[in-house]
Amino acid sequence: MITIDALGQVCPIPVIRAKKALAELGEAGGVVTVLVDNDISRQNLQKMAEGMGYQAEYLEKDNGVIEVTIVAGEGCAVETSGTAEDSGLVVAIGRNTMGEGSEELGRILLKGFIYSLRELTPPPARLLFFNSGAHLTSKDSNSIEDLKAMAAQGTIIQTCGTCLNYYGITKQLAVGQVANMYDIVTAMAEAKRLINI
């Protein structure tokens, strides 16, 4: 049995930690218990477990703690292999926020999105950054560690050179390489799967 204390952590972190724990159990199966403190995390953990064919139950405890128990049966292994190139996934990020509305929330969502990309198996083949998204590959970005981890896993990271120049951050590029718009368009056109933000 594996117990994960995810109290105070917002999604997708509890879900990703649970998936990693399930992968550790391997085909033998077992039990993963996740402690969370909000109902959204509980719901997301249950959806993830059910989507993987596992049994999931929860118990509300004292002080707002919710204990989610996931039971993985024998022979239920989590896929944990593949290279970035295998995924064929290209993600194009043209802004430093995600969605419309609150900019602060948009930054939080985009950080969570990039963290989630890091946890994909296999990881994305390529990440493309342009317009204000170019800020995300600069040394001051709050996502730089996640981006560096993906680069180490083989993800190609490219940032629009015109955009870096426009924002005056060319010398602050901290991960990946400079690209031109033709490189970006070619990568998008040749993608097996494309996510465009």
Side-chain angles (χ1 to χ4, degrees), residues 10-12 95-114 136 142-143 197:
V10 297
C11 273
R95 53 191 306 170
N96 60 357
T97 62
M98 187 172 195
E100 299 296 325
S102 166
E103 279 195 37
E104 179 183 359
L105 177 59
R107 283 180 178 48
I108 292 167
L109 293 174
L110 190 53
K111 177 160 179 41
F113 178 80
I114 291 172
L136 298 168
N142 66 357
S143 293
I197 294 182

Side-chain angles (χ1 to χ4, degrees), residues 42 106 112 116 154:
R42 190 249 335 144
S116 296

Side-chain angles (χ1 to χ4, degrees), residues 8 21 56 62 89 99 102 105 114-115 167-168 185:
D62 295 332
L89 175 62
S102 166
L105 177 59
I114 291 172
Y115 175 79
Y167 289 111
V185 169

